[in-house]
Amino acid sequence: MAEFVRVDSSTNSHTMDKSIILPPDEIFRNLENAKRFAIDIGGSLTKLAYYSTVQHKVAKVRSFDHTSKEATNDNLYEISVQEEVTARLHFIKFENAYIETCLDFIKDHLVNTDTKVIKATGGGAHKFKELIERKLGLKVDKEDEMTCLIKGCNFVLRNIPHEAFVFAKHTESEYRFQTTQPDIFPYLLVNIGSGVSIVKVESEDTFERIGGSSIGGGTFWGLGALLTKTKGFDELLQLASKGQHTSVDMLVKDIYGGSYGSLGLTGDLIASSFGKSATADKEFSKEDMAKSLLHMISNDIGQLACLYAKMHNLSRVYFGGFFIRGHPVTMHTITYSINFFTKGEVQALFLRHEGYLGAIGAFLKGAEEDNPNQYSWGENYAGSSGLMSVSPDMNPMQRARSGTFDMLEMDRLERKLVNLPLLQDASSYIPDTVDLIEDAPAREYWLFCFEEALDGVVKRAVASQPDMPEAAERAEKFRQKYRHKLQTLRHQPFAYGSLTVRSLLDTREHCLNEFNFPDPYSKIKQQENDMALKYYQKAVKALDGLSWEQRQFALVRGVLAGNVFDWGAKAVSDVLESDPEFGFEQAKRQLEERPWLVDSYDQWFERLKGPPHKCALFFVDNSGVDIILGVMPFVRELLSRGTEVVLASNSGPALNDVTNGELQILTESIAAMDPVIQSSLEEDRLILVQSGSSSPCLDLSRLDKVLATVVRERNIDLVIIEGMGRAIHTNYYAMLSCESLKTAVIKNSWLADRLGGKLFSVVFKYEVPIADHLSAALTP
């Protein structure tokens, strides 16, 4: 975090502070490659947005040519680390007091930009226009504030999963994040700045201000200053957080001695804001008056929002603006008001990045020629601050941190991501099995687990780049960065949305990429792939020698044994490190005997006696033994039955998961020694597709658009999801509109114990959609 000296809160908020020191590797990153700028200047905060190109290393695989006489290398393919350029969006939020220092910093570090214009919005855009033009030499082009706000809101709702949340005070998990909806429209945006604007948003470019009020954040601040002599907005909220509004407000029970049953009014309901101050002959505390004022303003806004939502038949209502700004006190009062006036039918929704909406919208207005909306974007956890609580009771260091500089970075993804068309209800789909925000014991365990594994990850990262002397230094920076993220999540588990095993894994991958470790397991995968290929024909021959019934069980057991080979599981990696001879047959012996922990094998076996599936979609997991000796023989059997197969593998590396590039080469090699695989490839009955993911887990709402198209065209009627990350940590409860197999071996003792099993317990879950069950029951 930047070092800084705070300005005194009694000074003018626009006094420039030049005491701040800005480390270029933390703030305004990658300025030398910045292309376009936008700025949103409010009454006290500036939000800057810019686009840059980022050069980073990626691991690529390429087949060796084994046909030439000169070919001496035994490896199937070679790995090369190449430079790749991708696009990144940067958003930085800071106090207006630091604007001059920040503009100087940008000017000094700006190298390659050919930008001549900076898009600007917000009330302060005019005030600081001359300063910006003089410092940066860019022409300020002002954009409509509301248009920018809506564009920004649409962008984050589309691209950031778990952007919206419900705030529930006095519960174990105050922040309850919402699933990203496939269709975000229509919705109501209630923007609470000095006043209130209520906007109905119907599409990307269609919105209408349908109402508003002059009683908003400015009213709370102004009246609060008069009542308490407190000039700062945040200080006023801190007073309110400590107050008791019942000392100042007149309640129903103060008038009637209890509740007013015939009208359905409880005794604790506010009958008159500040009602007691008219009759009580006493002094009221600043805290109590601030709390009463906060309730009065919030209730008024909440009732207005509910009335407009009802008038326009809208169920999604998002609240944002300076008044909200992530303060638990204001979010709680707004939430209480909405719940009261709608009897729980409408939820008050807040946004993790609502402070950036104007800046994002202004940036989008200046980027039409390379429209970011035509791509999918993902939050880069390594370069983003995350949502920080500004609760008055947190420690001073945290409060200073959250009130100074805040960053959001988003990386452009190579592929447009969409829902899997086979989700039974995309709007209710939740990828993750356990929310670690709600489950405190699980949160403590997994945070400890990931921190304990750090030494091993650092060691693996350094070993993956033996020819680079500076690798150890970069690996140490990775360690510090990721450990800091874990410490942040201990104190603020809601920082990046829902906290899950998936998000912890993804954050680690982002941090590894940040320090140019694109694929730490590349060499291990290469060795294991080469070794497993030598045993493929022997494995297939053994399977072909079995009876049909024996073979079906052996194939399932082979998939399970293959899934044991997972370097992401400490229990397994310890074995693989200490015993290089540990192989496929040993893995089979480790498996739990039937009945398994979750055992639907009998139902699956009965289904195999029926007609073959038309086409199966198989989400594969690990390299080496898993894909070659476990998955491929199983796929071969499906193909022999007349079932087409689509193999979906990771687009980018994660742990020892097989990537699409690797799978292409492996499949070609297998085809050269297996006529079934060879003919299936030639006849287009076996196809390989990228999933769009670079994670050990799987989010079925963010898959490669090409894969979704294939799913529709091939009429997929069976989905197979393999592995602990894809079928246990995620998608265990996913409801699909076709038959599905979810299969994994539990390679974590704590998780096995929690599920009622033991290490190497088996999950084999075969599911048929409810509609299929009904039709089968009705068939005579």
Side-chain angles (χ1 to χ4, degrees):
M1 200 54 244
E3 299 175 13
F4 63 95
V5 178
R6 300 277 294 179
V7 291
D8 191 282
S9 59
S10 63
T11 61
N12 187 299
S13 63
H14 298 308
T15 301
M16 304 305 174
D17 188 329
K18 295 193 176 182
S19 60
I20 192 163
I21 301 167
L22 300 172
D25 59 339
E26 289 288 338
I27 313 293
F28 302 113
R29 302 195 317 155
N30 209 41
L31 268 174
E32 66 275 11
N33 295 316
K35 302 290 184 187
R36 286 188 291 274
F37 287 89
I39 197 164
D40 174 16
I41 309 176
S44 63
L45 293 173
T46 295
K47 286 78 67 177
L48 184 76
Y50 61 96
Y51 167 100
S52 77
T53 52
V54 182
Q55 197 166 30
H56 61 97
K57 288 181 169 58
V58 293
K60 297 282 188 181
V61 296
R62 184 173 67 87
S63 291
F64 280 113
D65 182 6
H66 292 280
T67 59
S68 66
K69 292 180 181 178
E70 293 79 20
T72 56
N73 199 312
D74 290 335
N75 290 332
L76 179 64
Y77 58 85
E78 64 176 330
I79 307 159
S80 62
V81 176
Q82 302 173 14
E83 293 289 337
E84 191 171 89
V85 176
T86 56
R88 179 173 289 174
L89 299 180
H90 305 256
F91 306 99
I92 300 101
K93 181 167 59 181
F94 53 89
E95 295 171 13
N96 289 352
Y98 305 137
I99 192 169
E100 189 168 358
T101 297
C102 290
L103 292 174
D104 281 336
F105 182 87
I106 293 167
K107 182 181 68 174
D108 292 343
H109 290 79
L110 212 53
V111 179
N112 298 323
T113 188
D114 53 1
T115 300
K116 304 298 181 202
V117 174
I118 181 169
K119 293 288 185 180
T121 189
H126 177 75
K127 179 171 186 174
F128 291 101
K129 179 176 183 291
E130 185 183 333
L131 178 69
I132 295 168
E133 292 184 336
R134 176 165 48 86
K135 291 283 186 183
L136 298 184
L138 302 176
K139 180 180 179 295
V140 172
D141 189 1
K142 200 169 184 315
E143 293 290 343
D144 176 68
E145 193 169 354
M146 192 55 66
T147 302
C148 292
L149 197 68
I150 301 303
K151 276 189 171 291
C153 192
N154 292 341
F155 186 80
V156 296
L157 287 174
R158 275 210 183 91
N159 288 285
I160 304 182
H162 302 141
E163 172 63 26
F165 62 90
V166 172
F167 186 77
K169 197 175 181 182
H170 308 308
T171 61
E172 180 67 31
S173 55
E174 293 183 337
Y175 296 78
R176 296 179 182 172
F177 294 92
Q178 306 295 294
T179 305
T180 302
Q181 298 292 321
D183 185 4
I184 63 173
F185 305 111
Y187 64 85
L188 199 68
L189 179 63
V190 182
N191 192 55
I192 314 170
S194 298
V196 180
S197 286
I198 300 175
V199 185
K200 177 184 179 182
V201 185
E202 296 184 272
S203 70
E204 186 63 44
D205 299 306
T206 308
F207 64 89
E208 177 188 2
R209 186 183 188 276
I210 56 175
S213 172
S214 61
I215 301 172
T219 314
F220 173 68
W221 197 350
L223 284 177
L226 290 172
L227 289 167
T228 68
K229 307 305 179 189
T230 300
K231 297 298 183 185
F233 187 84
D234 289 346
E235 289 84 351
L236 193 60
L237 280 174
Q238 287 176 34
L239 284 178
S241 70
K242 299 170 186 173
Q244 293 292 330
H245 76 96
T246 53
S247 301
V248 183
D249 293 340
M250 187 175 289
L251 309 181
V252 168
K253 65 184 177 185
D254 294 325
I255 300 174
Y256 296 102
S259 62
Y260 196 147
S262 62
L263 293 181
L265 304 177
T266 64
D268 291 328
L269 194 66
I270 299 172
S272 175
S273 296
F274 287 91
K276 287 180 182 174
S277 62
T279 55
D281 187 18
K282 67 171 187 177
E283 290 289 323
F284 295 96
S285 73
K286 292 179 179 180
E287 290 82 359
D288 293 347
M289 287 190 290
K291 188 61 170 283
S292 175
L293 182 61
L294 181 64
H295 275 292
M296 184 180 79
I297 302 295
S298 298
N299 286 337
D300 183 64
I301 295 169
Q303 187 169 28
L304 267 178
C306 291
L307 289 170
Y308 279 106
K310 192 170 183 179
M311 282 171 59
H312 293 268
N313 196 29
L314 297 170
S315 58
R316 277 175 281 187
V317 183
Y318 298 103
F319 289 85
F322 182 82
F323 182 70
I324 302 293
R325 220 177 72 194
H327 281 284
V329 181
T330 52
M331 291 192 296
H332 173 62
T333 53
I334 287 287
T335 299
Y336 181 88
S337 173
I338 293 290
N339 286 341
F340 175 79
F341 288 116
T342 69
K343 295 181 171 58
E345 291 179 5
V346 174
Q347 289 183 318
L349 295 166
F350 305 96
L351 301 171
R352 278 203 292 138
H353 301 103
E354 68 89 16
Y356 292 114
L357 302 186
I360 293 171
F363 175 82
L364 293 173
K365 288 286 287 182
E368 279 87 357
E369 69 275 14
D370 186 23
N371 183 10
N373 278 321
Q374 67 185 308
Y375 304 100
S376 288
W377 298 79
E379 182 174 3
N380 175 17
Y381 297 138
S384 297
S385 307
L387 180 66
M388 296 292 122
S389 172
V390 286
S391 174
D393 56 359
M394 71 182 180
N395 69 55
M397 188 183 79
Q398 284 176 303
R399 195 179 307 127
R401 153 74 179 79
S402 62
T404 308
F405 277 82
D406 189 87
M407 286 84 70
L408 165 64
E409 289 185 357
M410 298 183 71
D411 288 329
R412 192 174 80 190
L413 307 179
E414 288 184 39
R415 289 156 192 86
K416 188 79 172 175
L417 301 184
V418 297
N419 283 306
L420 177 70
L422 296 169
L423 285 173
Q424 207 166 81
D425 180 9
S427 63
S428 63
Y429 167 69
I430 298 172
D432 304 288
T433 306
V434 178
D435 186 339
L436 301 182
I437 297 178
E438 294 187 3
D439 192 332
R443 178 172 73 244
E444 280 306 307
Y445 170 76
W446 287 111
L447 286 171
F448 167 77
C449 188
F450 277 89
E451 189 156 11
E452 189 184 39
L454 250 179
D455 286 344
V457 178
V458 168
K459 178 184 171 185
R460 182 64 53 205
V462 174
S464 71
Q465 298 180 358
D467 301 327
M468 298 184 181
E470 83 292 350
E473 183 182 345
R474 284 187 283 112
E476 189 55 38
K477 288 182 178 179
F478 153 74
R479 183 207 303 272
Q480 292 170 11
K481 169 81 85 169
Y482 188 56
R483 179 171 284 152
H484 174 71
K485 295 290 179 186
L486 293 175
Q487 289 168 348
T488 296
L489 290 166
R490 260 200 182 86
H491 299 292
Q492 315 270 8
F494 47 81
Y496 297 102
S498 287
L499 179 62
T500 63
V501 173
R502 175 169 63 103
S503 70
L504 290 170
L505 285 164
D506 289 351
T507 303
R508 189 168 70 184
E509 292 298 323
H510 291 184
C511 291
L512 281 166
N513 283 320
E514 191 69 24
F515 295 102
N516 279 323
F517 293 106
D519 193 355
Y521 291 84
S522 56
K523 296 286 198 304
I524 286 177
K525 288 189 290 181
Q526 184 184 41
Q527 292 165 8
E528 293 186 348
N529 286 332
D530 288 338
M531 184 64 67
L533 280 170
K534 295 174 182 176
Y535 293 96
Y536 176 79
Q537 286 177 301
K538 182 181 177 182
V540 167
K541 185 177 179 181
L543 287 164
D544 287 344
L546 300 174
S547 69
W548 182 84
E549 183 173 338
Q550 290 174 326
R551 187 165 69 250
Q552 303 318 306
F553 183 69
L555 286 164
V556 166
R557 199 157 169 261
V559 169
L560 294 167
N563 194 242
V564 168
F565 291 81
D566 184 351
W567 282 86
K570 190 174 187 302
V572 176
S573 62
D574 287 347
V575 170
L576 297 176
E577 289 271 17
S578 61
D579 182 8
E581 300 302 315
F582 184 84
F584 194 37
E585 295 306 316
Q586 290 93 323
K588 289 179 184 176
R589 291 194 287 271
Q590 293 286 348
L591 294 177
E592 172 187 33
E593 294 295 326
R594 290 192 69 197
W596 296 323
L597 182 63
V598 177
D599 195 335
S600 302
Y601 178 75
D602 291 341
Q603 293 91 319
W604 170 247
F605 180 70
E606 286 302 312
R607 172 63 185 85
L608 289 177
K609 294 177 182 177
H613 296 90
K614 184 180 188 315
C615 188
L617 169 62
F618 200 135
F619 288 99
V620 299
D621 192 8
N622 305 308
S623 288
V625 172
D626 190 350
I627 185 68
I628 296 167
L629 302 183
V631 170
M632 276 304 190
F634 189 93
V635 166
R636 183 178 185 269
E637 182 76 8
L638 288 174
L639 292 166
S640 299
R641 279 172 56 84
T643 301
E644 296 177 356
V645 178
V646 177
L647 291 181
S649 53
N650 269 12
S651 298
L655 295 173
N656 66 314
D657 292 357
V658 65
T659 63
N660 185 259
E662 291 159 351
L663 187 55
Q664 297 277 354
I665 295 170
L666 294 177
T667 306
E668 288 172 10
S669 182
I670 290 170
M673 50 182 161
D674 188 336
V676 175
I677 301 298
Q678 180 71 51
S679 62
S680 298
L681 284 173
E682 290 172 353
E683 296 163 13
D684 202 30
R685 293 192 303 110
L686 173 62
I687 61 171
L688 314 181
V689 185
Q690 302 185 49
S691 68
S693 172
S694 298
S695 170
C697 296
L698 182 64
D699 182 351
L700 298 177
S701 68
R702 286 172 70 81
L703 294 178
D704 187 352
K705 192 175 181 179
V706 172
L707 173 57
T709 302
V710 169
V711 167
R712 289 192 185 93
E713 290 175 348
R714 296 272 170 161
N715 297 317
I716 301 287
D717 55 356
L718 172 65
V719 172
I720 304 169
I721 306 176
E722 181 213 7
M724 213 163 77
R726 291 166 178 78
I728 304 296
H729 292 314
T730 53
N731 299 305
Y732 188 75
Y733 296 116
M735 302 296 289
L736 302 177
S737 60
C738 69
E739 294 174 53
S740 64
L741 265 181
K742 297 166 187 174
T743 176
V745 177
I746 309 299
K747 292 151 289 193
N748 177 282
S749 298
W750 180 89
L751 181 59
D753 184 63
R754 208 172 212 236
L755 295 173
K758 57 185 180 180
L759 197 63
F760 301 116
S761 287
V762 168
V763 170
F764 188 84
K765 191 179 185 185
Y766 170 60
E767 294 175 305
V768 178
I770 293 172
D772 288 5
H773 273 307
L774 289 174
S775 65
L778 294 171
T779 301

